[in-house]
Amino acid sequence: MRLLYQGIAAGLAASVLAVGHAADAPFPDRPVKIVIGFPPGSATDVATRIIANKMSDLLGQPTVVENKPGASTNIAAAQVARAAPDGYTLFMAGNSNSVNPALLKNVPVDMFRDFTPVGLAATVPSILVVAPSLGVTSVPELIAAAKRAPGKIFFASSGVATTSHLSGELFGMTTGAKMTHVPYKGSNQVITDLLAGSVPVMFAPAPTVLAFVKENKLTALATTGLARSRLLPDLPTVAEAGVKDYETRIWFGLVAPAGTPQPVVQKLSGALDAATDSQDVRDQLAAQGIEPFKGDAKEFARYMQQETRKWAEVIKTSGITVE
């Protein structure tokens, strides 16, 4: 019996020691995974892989990217929300996650309840472009033309409730310049019609239209962020052109499952910040038409709340629905 007790005691001691070592182990001591809700080759995928490669160097462990596209990123988000809150499984959130609560009936995750913000990561600037045939060369001229012929000017988007669609609706709500939305599936046909002038306006992701702007096949009126884009530093923002407080952007930011320990969040946030600060990452992002979008966990939380409120109002006012 004494030997049995001694064996049990030894086993318990070994278990406690193992747990202690696990708790004391520096984070990370194995690979970190970032799950994204888009397929390979998408802007989210490209930006995440560039940043993840640098984070691997900074964390001393591989940072791998897993693609789980579908259901407006909800498949990927739900997978991470169910993961252990230990910092080893992260989600690259984005615009969809601010739009989904107002747009979809059954969203499986709550971004504020189920996740802990880590930090903002990157943004794809959007450009308000028009076909030269429209005959406008500034934001005030576009507003005036739309007000002269309400609903007669068409603006294109890559789909219902995408950033390009919501940007146009917000523009109309803010300025009173009503334009008619024409949704497309994908970018090929929308660019063809935009260049032809049949749908002459678009709030377009910069990588999609930048080459055509430089070739003077499209006229760039403004960028849509609050600050000027590094890609087009001489182009004013919509806000600078007179539409006060107007801002839209395609953005990405890292979140961890709710309950992730703060020291782990801080370690990840620091690595993300250092990665987006590094010149090689900035150069790689810029080559893809992407820019760093810096903000710590608290700033990210505030930004997400702001975005969620804004798009809920736009969706309600515009009556946007999806099947």
Side-chain angles (χ1 to χ4, degrees):
M1 185 66 70
R2 179 179 295 178
L3 289 175
L4 176 61
Y5 287 149
Q6 287 175 342
I8 293 172
L12 288 172
S15 297
V16 170
L17 187 61
V19 170
H21 283 322
D24 294 338
F27 174 86
D29 62 0
R30 62 182 188 273
V32 174
K33 179 170 65 178
I34 302 176
V35 183
I36 63 173
F38 295 94
S42 61
T44 307
D45 178 75
V46 170
T48 303
R49 290 182 187 278
I50 291 171
I51 293 168
N53 285 340
K54 176 58 72 171
M55 288 182 67
S56 295
D57 298 336
L58 295 166
L59 292 172
Q61 290 288 341
T63 305
V64 298
V65 177
E66 179 178 312
N67 301 88
K68 284 282 184 179
S72 193
T73 76
N74 283 322
I75 294 173
Q79 174 183 325
V80 176
R82 294 191 300 265
D86 54 13
Y88 288 98
T89 306
L90 310 174
F91 175 57
M92 186 63 86
N95 300 70
S96 297
N97 306 107
S98 291
V99 172
N100 287 343
L103 192 66
L104 304 178
K105 292 181 180 179
N106 298 305
V107 181
V109 296
D110 183 313
M111 295 304 296
F112 305 103
R113 179 196 64 209
D114 298 328
F115 295 99
T116 297
V118 173
L120 287 161
T123 180
V124 178
S126 291
I127 308 173
L128 171 53
V129 295
V130 299
S133 60
L134 188 61
V136 303
T137 58
S138 69
V139 171
E141 287 181 10
L142 177 61
I143 294 170
K147 286 183 175 181
R148 283 195 302 269
K152 298 296 180 64
I153 294 176
F154 298 94
F155 77 94
S157 81
S158 53
V160 174
T162 58
T163 303
S164 51
H165 176 199
L166 295 174
S167 296
E169 296 292 353
L170 179 62
F171 186 81
M173 288 171 52
T174 307
T175 64
K178 179 61 179 176
M179 297 184 289
T180 298
H181 175 230
V182 181
Y184 288 76
K185 292 183 179 179
S187 60
N188 291 338
Q189 188 60 46
V190 66
I191 293 300
T192 298
D193 288 358
L194 187 62
L195 291 170
S198 55
V199 183
V201 180
M202 187 175 183
F203 295 79
T208 304
V209 296
L210 194 56
F212 301 110
V213 169
K214 291 181 177 179
E215 294 169 3
N216 296 318
K217 294 180 179 179
L218 291 172
T219 302
L221 303 185
T223 52
T224 66
L226 282 181
R228 294 192 180 196
S229 169
R230 297 179 182 89
L231 302 176
L232 293 165
D234 295 329
L235 192 67
T237 66
V238 174
E240 286 177 325
V243 185
K244 186 179 179 182
D245 296 330
Y246 182 93
E247 185 221 6
T248 69
R249 66 171 82 220
I250 300 167
W251 57 267
F252 319 118
L254 275 182
V255 296
T260 301
Q262 275 304 301
V264 171
V265 172
Q266 290 169 4
K267 183 77 174 285
L268 290 166
S269 183
L272 175 61
D273 188 60
T276 54
D277 255 345
S278 64
Q279 192 60 50
D280 57 333
V281 166
R282 288 175 174 268
D283 290 344
Q284 290 177 67
L285 291 175
Q288 302 295 326
I290 304 169
E291 298 175 350
F293 186 23
K294 294 172 66 62
D296 63 19
K298 290 183 179 179
E299 291 168 329
F300 184 16
R302 285 194 296 269
Y303 187 75
M304 177 81 79
Q305 290 166 350
Q306 170 190 314
E307 287 284 283
T308 303
R309 288 193 300 267
K310 176 169 69 179
W311 296 128
E313 180 181 354
V314 171
I315 289 167
K316 181 179 179 181
T317 302
S318 303
I320 298 170
T321 58
V322 295
E323 295 181 0

